[in-house]
């Protein structure tokens, strides 16, 4: 059974930084598409940054390119999201999501394509 556990959210001022962590367990396949989504109140869940476990491919939403970096530590079964230069519009609940397959380049950001989710961690950026 796949489990995803997020941590690292918090409250920061605009321009600040946070690092989110997602510890994963229970994968059957060696290559899984996983990463970070976010959902603000009244909005749909959107893809932020994705990667493949054991791989090097990465995908980023245009709104976070140059500010956020996704990485992984295979030895710790952990995927990270380093968020720099945070903006108030980055405020949302951030979720770690995963699916047992390679990422689809054309649909990597579609939350409906992912079967496994963590409980979420809140990120609040004040101006």
């Amino acid at each position: 059974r796949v489990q995803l556990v997020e941590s690292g959210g918090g409250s920061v001022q605009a321009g600040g930084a946070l690092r989110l962590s997602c510890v994963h367990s229970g994968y059957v396949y060696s290559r899984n598409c996983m990463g970070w989504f976010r959902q603000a109140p009244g909005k749909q869940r959107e893809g932020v940054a994705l990667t493949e476990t054991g791989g090097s491919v990465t995908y980023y939403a245009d709104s976070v390119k140059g500010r956020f970096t996704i990485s992984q530590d295979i030895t710790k079964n952990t995927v990270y999201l380093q968020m720099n230069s945070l903006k108030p519009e980055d405020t949302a609940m951030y979720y770690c999501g995963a699916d047992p397959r390679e990422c689809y380049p054309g649909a990597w950001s579609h939350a409906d394509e992912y079967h496994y989710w963590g409980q979420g961690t809140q990120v609040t950026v004040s101006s």
Side-chain angles (χ1 to χ4, degrees):
R1 178 171 169 266
V2 174
Q3 288 190 308
L4 306 173
V5 180
E6 305 103 329
S7 62
S11 297
V12 296
Q13 290 190 326
L18 287 171
R19 189 177 79 157
L20 306 183
S21 300
C22 176
V23 179
H24 56 86
S25 62
Y27 284 140
V28 174
Y29 302 104
S30 60
R31 191 61 57 90
N32 304 274
C33 185
M34 71 174 294
W36 297 94
F37 294 74
R38 66 187 180 187
Q39 189 167 19
K43 294 188 176 181
Q44 289 189 331
R45 191 170 297 188
E46 62 175 359
V48 176
L50 276 292
T51 188
E52 293 178 355
T53 57
S56 59
V57 65
T58 57
Y59 302 91
Y60 292 96
D62 288 342
S63 60
V64 306
K65 284 180 180 176
R67 301 189 297 124
F68 291 10
T69 302
I70 190 169
S71 62
Q72 59 182 305
D73 185 333
I74 297 174
T75 64
K76 296 181 179 179
N77 286 347
T78 303
V79 173
Y80 302 99
L81 183 67
Q82 178 65 45
M83 305 186 294
N84 297 329
S85 302
L86 282 162
K87 303 176 180 180
E89 51 263 44
D90 294 318
T91 295
M93 184 72 78
Y94 283 69
Y95 296 92
C96 183
D99 212 58
R101 54 167 172 81
E102 295 181 358
C103 295
Y104 302 144
W108 68 267
S109 62
H110 298 179
D112 292 347
E113 301 289 338
Y114 296 83
H115 288 87
Y116 302 107
W117 294 96
Q119 79 286 355
T121 185
Q122 178 67 38
V123 172
T124 302
V125 185
S126 58
S127 57

